[in-house]
Amino acid sequence: MAIIAYLLPALAFASTAIAQCSNAATMTITASADASVLASCTTYSGSVAIPTGLATPQDTNGHQQLSVDGVQVITGNLTVTNAIMLSSLSFGDLKQLGGFELGGLTVLSELSFPQLTQVSSMNFTALPALQQMSFGGSGISQADSVLITNTGLSSLQGINNLQSVSTFNVNNNAALQNISLQVTSIKNSLDIEANDGFVSGLTTTFPMLETAQNMTFRNCSSVLLPSLANVTQDLGFYGNTMTSFAAPNLTTVGGLIFVDNTELTNISIPGLVSVNGSYQIANNTMLKQINGFQKLSVIKGALDFNGNYTEVDLPALTQVQGAFNMQSSGQLDCSAFQTDKSSKQVIKGNFVCSGSISKPGGAGTKASASSTSKPTGKSSAGHTEVNFPAVIGGTSFIAGLLQLVL
């Protein structure tokens, strides 16, 4: 009986400790005492929030610091929002975390998680004073989704060794000059835009990336995708300053878009066989030759090119299932795309090919001839417009193919 009486207080303490470390509700840390409760847990089964009203000591600038050691796993989310005087946040032993959200921390300049390698999601928003991140070892290797926007980060050191990610969105980080990730797949989407306020522009490198669902690049000075083989949806480049783009291993893509890339002079995707959506090249003012697509055979959507290019070479093209639109202010030779009896090309939508026009436009716009060059049938500066209805059935298809005469 004496032994039981001796053990009861210890059991009661253990039960209390277990209850503290397992909480269906969110633990809110507003003072150092709250942090000490969390520090007593090796694993905390729940979420943790650090809100605006943080009551920790302030330095001479009125800034606050919060350091939590001990806890190694938080199964839920760690959310720190609008703690506007928090300048330093440290979790010295934390290795694994659910969601990681930092937002509206206007003076946060030190972020130290030296053991952290795995999170389910990362959402960093409005952290203008944060210039670098400190994570464990080689950094975070696993994350399902990443959003980094409006921060002072100059690099993504700490997450650059991500092995896989579903959603990756980095935008509006004015000091960020380089993104380099080791990911092999993007399961959902990758969006990079409006970073780097410097003249040099943001460089992006994905040396190991092989497959992606959807990728968008804006305001980049270079995009390197040497291993990319397949994009199931769109691969789009908008308003970048890169001078060239190459994807030597890319064979299939959903949609392919190059719009308003003012310094772009060369595109090389020599292994590309099929575009399963639309293929658009528009307003790339320095792009004079479109000739880096030697194997492109099938475009299942529309082909839509407009600009001031003078050469388009698509030697393997056999089928465009949507509209075909080529409009250029340059001296474009359309003869290779004018369909006759011997051609293998099948264009099922509206066909427009026109060079030396004053206002080249996208699909659905009418080519406008310049005052110095008028359309003349099938000449290099000519304008041809034909509507090819879709042909269904074996015999009808062959007959229709033989009758595609301009």
Side-chain angles (χ1 to χ4, degrees):
M1 294 294 293
I3 295 175
I4 294 174
Y6 175 80
L7 290 175
L8 283 176
L11 291 171
F13 176 82
S15 177
T16 301
I18 292 171
Q20 290 177 334
C21 295
S22 179
N23 194 345
T26 298
M27 175 187 286
T28 301
I29 295 178
T30 58
S32 298
D34 301 323
S36 66
V37 173
L38 180 61
S40 67
C41 305
T42 301
T43 297
Y44 182 73
S45 300
S47 294
V48 176
I50 301 173
T52 303
L54 185 62
T56 59
Q58 299 182 353
D59 62 18
T60 55
N61 296 316
H63 295 168
Q64 298 169 298
Q65 300 179 354
L66 181 64
S67 179
V68 180
D69 295 322
V71 63
Q72 297 180 20
V73 177
I74 297 175
T75 61
N77 300 331
L78 173 60
T79 304
V80 190
T81 55
N82 300 316
I84 58 174
M85 302 311 296
L86 183 65
S87 64
S88 175
L89 179 64
S90 173
F91 276 67
D93 299 308
L94 189 62
K95 298 178 179 179
Q96 183 177 336
L97 178 60
F100 192 6
E101 181 178 356
L102 305 178
L105 308 178
T106 55
V107 299
L108 182 71
S109 59
E110 183 178 352
L111 185 67
S112 179
F113 286 66
Q115 304 296 322
L116 187 63
T117 59
Q118 183 175 343
V119 299
S120 62
S121 64
M122 178 183 294
N123 188 330
F124 287 5
T125 304
L127 311 173
L130 185 65
Q131 298 182 18
Q132 61 183 5
M133 303 175 288
S134 176
F135 297 128
S138 59
I140 293 175
S141 60
Q142 296 183 43
D144 186 60
S145 65
V146 173
L147 170 64
I148 298 177
T149 179
N150 289 304
T151 75
L153 291 171
S154 58
S155 77
L156 297 185
Q157 184 71 28
I159 65 169
N160 56 335
N161 285 319
L162 277 173
Q163 300 301 305
S164 65
V165 66
S166 293
T167 302
F168 189 85
N169 188 328
V170 177
N171 68 83
N172 291 285
N173 302 284
L176 188 62
Q177 299 182 57
N178 175 268
I179 295 176
S180 179
L181 292 186
Q182 302 302 309
V183 293
T184 59
S185 66
I186 304 291
K187 296 178 182 178
N188 291 328
S189 63
L190 181 144
D191 294 275
I192 296 175
E193 58 183 314
N195 299 288
D196 190 7
F198 300 97
V199 175
S200 58
L202 179 76
T203 62
T204 58
T205 306
F206 298 85
M208 308 298 291
L209 183 62
E210 296 178 357
T211 63
Q213 184 178 51
N214 194 75
M215 303 176 71
T216 300
F217 297 91
R218 299 178 189 268
N219 317 110
C220 296
S221 61
S222 68
V223 179
L224 300 180
L225 303 168
S227 302
L228 187 65
N230 176 52
V231 180
T232 55
Q233 294 183 10
D234 286 349
L235 174 60
F237 302 88
Y238 307 86
N240 298 285
T241 58
M242 59 187 183
T243 58
S244 64
F245 174 75
N249 290 299
L250 184 62
T251 59
T252 61
V253 64
L256 185 59
I257 306 105
F258 294 87
V259 174
D260 296 328
N261 304 287
T262 56
E263 305 297 322
L264 186 64
T265 61
N266 180 62
I267 306 171
S268 177
I269 313 180
L272 184 66
V273 175
S274 64
V275 176
N276 296 321
S278 293
Y279 181 16
Q280 182 182 23
I281 294 179
N283 300 321
N284 304 285
T285 53
M286 299 295 291
L287 186 64
K288 304 300 183 181
Q289 297 176 320
I290 303 173
N291 57 8
F293 304 89
Q294 300 303 305
K295 293 184 179 180
L296 181 58
S297 175
V298 176
I299 299 173
K300 294 185 179 179
L303 182 149
D304 187 9
F305 293 175
N306 69 81
N308 60 352
Y309 49 89
T310 58
E311 177 187 339
V312 179
D313 185 20
L314 299 171
L317 187 65
T318 60
Q319 188 176 115
V320 178
Q321 295 185 6
F324 183 105
N325 178 72
M326 280 189 188
Q327 297 186 37
S328 178
S329 59
Q331 290 286 328
L332 177 66
D333 184 356
C334 288
S335 60
F337 303 103
Q338 291 169 338
T339 310
D340 56 29
K341 290 183 179 180
S342 63
S343 175
K344 296 181 180 179
Q345 296 174 347
V346 177
I347 299 170
K348 296 185 178 181
N350 193 58
F351 179 94
V352 174
C353 188
S354 185
S356 297
I357 57 176
S358 58
K359 296 179 180 180
T365 64
K366 186 176 181 180
S368 175
S370 70
S371 59
T372 59
S373 177
K374 297 181 180 180
T376 55
K378 297 183 180 182
S379 70
S380 62
H383 168 214
T384 306
E385 184 170 346
V386 182
N387 184 45
F388 294 148
V391 184
I392 302 174
T395 304
S396 298
F397 177 83
I398 296 172
L401 178 61
L402 293 175
Q403 295 176 10
L404 295 181
V405 182
L406 298 180

